[in-house]
């Protein structure tokens, strides 16, 4: 107890610094999930993608980042083991942030799209199991999260497969692809608007004090979808193309329409990602702040300090700007050849999956969701369309992530413990 009262400011500053470092790693590695497909499909240049991602990642993290935070903070370890020694929880969370941050730095430099969720969960499980007691880990919760890593890529892959196949059947295989695009694309735009609106209303607005009932939320989301659909129809109606051109030219023009749509889905994905994955950095920080400010008491539910979310949001933006382009290249160009229509299918499916998971408070891996969606789009064209070497490397990097986070966090936990003379 006396360690917490003696070093309270030092512990909070350390936790904030390492949380910022971890958020930096999320920006460098995970934001490729939102922007990689757009860059790969040439809907956005890398510079445009980074600017767009900065705005929407920040908005998602800052407005809607509170829901998942509580799962990371309370769910994985049993706080009963730390009641008499709350300083161990504080040291462990600080060590976990540093470990996960280092692993993300290494992976981002190598261009591996790993899971930031894996990284922090592996780190927290590592310090708790080895530094405290294996019984301190809620293994059933960990298994549930591991299960979600299999389920969410499958859901995203299936959704992407069906979105892509529907676009193929309704638009590309039709007699006049351009006329079909003008007819059906506004519906895809409305669906995208609905997904973005729902996550903003259900999750984001309550953090700024605006509450809606479920019915009002859905009604508002449908209204937004209708407006987006109508605006989309007007925008696409204004595009001028030569009707006498051959079918290949029609395909090119339809892809241009999907390129506009991709930018919208990229924004949705960035917002959804910011809201879901900022928890990986600020969850442990919120736990440290809560324990230190209460003088060592471990509360079951902690109020987020006002400055915690901005630490995560700014960290994500900086990491993206400094090192984001390496992983963007892997996601956008490495797995399969992407066109705007394929990229759109992958992004809409991934954004929808993240929104579903984010609403239930399950800390899924956005990376695996998007890679699953890109694989779904690739599979729609047959296994030969996938670069299996890149896919294998990605899967190997996923498997390595959990133990890497755990081993580093165990080392940092004992170093920090020794530094404070415990």
């Amino acid at each position: 107890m006396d360690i917490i009262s003696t070093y309270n400011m030092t512990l909070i500053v350390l936790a904030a610094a390492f949380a910022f470092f971890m958020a930096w790693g999320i920006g460098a590695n995970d934001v490729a999930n939102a922007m990689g497909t757009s860059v790969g499909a040439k809907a956005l240049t890398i510079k445009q993608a980074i600017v767009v991602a900065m705005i929407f990642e920040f908005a998602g993290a800052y407005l809607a980042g509170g829901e998942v935070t509580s799962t990371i903070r309370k769910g994985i370890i049993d706080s009963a083991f730390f009641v008499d020694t709350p300083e161990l929880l504080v040291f462990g969370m600080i060590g976990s942030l540093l470990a996960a941050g280092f692993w993300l730095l290494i992976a981002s430099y190598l261009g591996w799209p790993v899971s930031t969720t894996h990284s922090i969960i592996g780190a927290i499980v590592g310090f708790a199991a080895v530094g405290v007691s294996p019984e301190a880990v809620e293994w059933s919760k960990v298994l549930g999260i591991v299960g979600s890593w299999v389920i969410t890529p499958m859901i995203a892959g299936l959704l992407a497969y069906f979105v892509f196949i529907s676009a193929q059947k309704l638009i590309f295989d039709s007699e006049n692809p351009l006329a079909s695009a003008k007819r059906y694309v506004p519906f895809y735009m409305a669906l995208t608007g609905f997904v973005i609106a729902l996550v903003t209303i259900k999750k984001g607005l309550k953090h700024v004090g605006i509450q809606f009932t479920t019915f009002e939320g859905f009604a508002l989301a449908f209204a937004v979808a209708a407006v987006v659909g109508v605006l989309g129809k007007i925008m696409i109606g204004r595009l001028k193309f030569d009707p006498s051109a051959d079918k290949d030219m029609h395909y090119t023009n339809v892809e241009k329409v999907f390129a506009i749509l991709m930018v919208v889905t990229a924004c949705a994905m960035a917002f959804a990602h910011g809201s879901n994955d900022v928890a990986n950095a600020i969850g442990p920080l919120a736990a440290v702040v809560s324990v230190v400010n209460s003088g060592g008491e471990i509360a079951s539910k902690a109020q987020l300090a006002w400055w915690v979310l901005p630490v995560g949001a700014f960290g994500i933006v900086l990491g993206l700007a400094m090192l984001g382009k390496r992983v963007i290249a892997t996601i956008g160009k490495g797995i399969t050849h992407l066109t705007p229509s394929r990229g759109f299918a992958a992004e809409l499916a991934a954004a929808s999956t993240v929104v579903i998971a984010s609403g239930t408070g399950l800390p899924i891996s956005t990376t695996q969701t998007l890679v699953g969606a890109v694989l779904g789009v690739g599979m729609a064209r047959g296994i030969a369309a996938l670069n299996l070497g890149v896919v294998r490397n990605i899967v190997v990097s996923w498997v390595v992530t959990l133990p890497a986070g755990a081993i580093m966090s165990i080392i940092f936990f004992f170093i920090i413990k020794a530094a404070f003379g415990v």
Side-chain angles (χ1 to χ4, degrees):
M1 287 290 185
D2 51 341
I3 285 178
I4 286 177
S5 51
T6 311
Y7 297 108
N8 59 356
M9 208 58 221
T10 311
L11 292 167
I12 286 181
V13 169
L14 269 179
F18 295 159
F20 187 82
F21 177 46
M22 164 81 187
W24 185 94
I26 294 172
N29 195 289
D30 243 18
V31 178
N33 304 329
M35 292 297 146
T37 42
S38 302
V39 174
K42 298 187 170 59
L44 290 170
T45 66
I46 196 122
K47 282 184 180 164
Q48 289 167 336
I50 286 172
V51 172
V52 169
M54 280 177 172
I55 295 164
F56 283 90
E57 286 279 340
F58 187 89
Y62 192 65
L63 288 174
E67 184 81 25
V68 185
T69 310
S70 52
T71 312
I72 292 270
R73 194 166 63 238
K74 305 197 304 282
I76 295 155
I77 47 179
D78 183 356
S79 56
F81 280 82
F82 300 93
V83 172
D84 297 326
T85 52
E87 64 273 14
L88 293 186
L89 178 64
V90 171
F91 296 158
M93 289 300 184
I94 291 172
S96 297
L97 285 167
L98 187 56
F102 263 115
W103 172 244
L104 290 175
L105 175 64
I106 294 162
S108 303
Y109 184 77
L110 295 170
W112 292 346
V114 298
S115 165
T116 55
T117 313
H118 277 184
S119 307
I120 193 67
I121 289 174
I124 291 173
V125 167
F127 99 79
V130 175
V132 183
S133 159
E135 288 162 21
V137 178
E138 295 276 10
W139 294 107
S140 60
K141 284 270 173 72
V142 176
L143 278 175
I145 292 164
V146 169
S148 79
W149 299 334
V150 179
I151 294 159
T152 46
M154 278 174 58
I155 294 170
L158 281 169
L159 281 174
Y161 179 87
F162 287 118
V163 171
F164 178 66
I165 291 292
S166 72
Q168 195 77 30
K169 291 266 186 291
L170 293 172
I171 297 169
F172 290 96
D173 293 347
S174 67
E175 218 27 65
N176 187 337
L178 205 52
S180 300
K182 288 186 175 184
R183 187 180 310 128
Y184 292 114
V185 166
F187 290 106
Y188 288 114
M189 293 185 96
L191 181 60
T192 308
F194 179 74
V195 170
I196 304 168
L198 205 56
V199 71
T200 312
I201 292 160
K202 298 282 283 177
K203 291 172 58 9
L205 296 180
K206 69 180 179 195
H207 295 293
V208 288
I210 302 169
Q211 296 280 11
F212 289 103
T213 64
T214 304
F215 176 75
E216 288 168 344
F218 273 95
L220 201 52
F222 275 117
V224 169
V227 171
V228 171
V230 170
L231 285 175
K233 196 156 183 63
I234 294 165
M235 275 168 61
I236 293 164
R238 284 187 177 167
L239 294 173
K240 293 284 178 276
F241 299 122
D242 180 9
S244 61
D246 64 4
K247 209 160 187 181
D248 282 347
M249 197 63 208
H250 276 214
Y251 286 144
T252 308
N253 291 333
V254 171
E255 290 292 0
K256 282 180 186 166
V257 174
F258 272 104
I260 299 167
L261 202 46
M262 252 199 115
V263 176
V264 181
T265 47
C267 297
M269 191 65 195
F271 184 90
H273 174 263
S275 72
N276 198 70
D277 279 30
V278 72
N280 296 330
I282 65 168
L285 171 59
V288 171
V289 172
S290 160
V291 172
V292 171
N293 283 345
S294 63
E297 187 191 330
I298 299 169
S300 62
K301 197 150 178 71
Q303 201 60 42
L304 272 184
W306 66 269
W307 55 269
V308 168
L309 272 172
V311 165
F314 280 114
I316 284 177
V317 165
L318 201 65
L320 167 67
M322 288 169 70
L323 199 63
K325 60 175 186 254
R326 288 174 183 253
V327 182
I328 284 177
T330 305
I331 293 254
K333 298 172 185 163
I335 299 171
T336 188
H337 175 65
L338 289 174
T339 60
S341 56
R342 292 172 201 157
F344 160 72
E347 274 184 6
L348 181 61
S352 304
T353 309
V354 170
V355 166
I356 295 161
S358 215
T360 56
L362 185 71
I364 62 153
S365 160
T366 329
T367 306
Q368 295 187 333
T369 306
L370 191 91
V371 170
V374 173
L375 287 173
V377 168
M379 287 298 280
R381 294 162 53 233
I383 196 90
L386 298 172
N387 184 336
L388 294 176
V390 172
V391 174
R392 187 191 62 237
N393 289 348
I394 290 172
V395 172
V396 168
S397 73
W398 289 353
V399 173
V400 171
T401 294
L402 260 173
I407 291 163
M408 282 196 274
S409 101
I410 293 161
I411 294 165
F412 289 139
F413 173 70
F414 286 113
I415 292 171
I416 293 165
K417 209 170 139 186
F420 282 93
V422 178

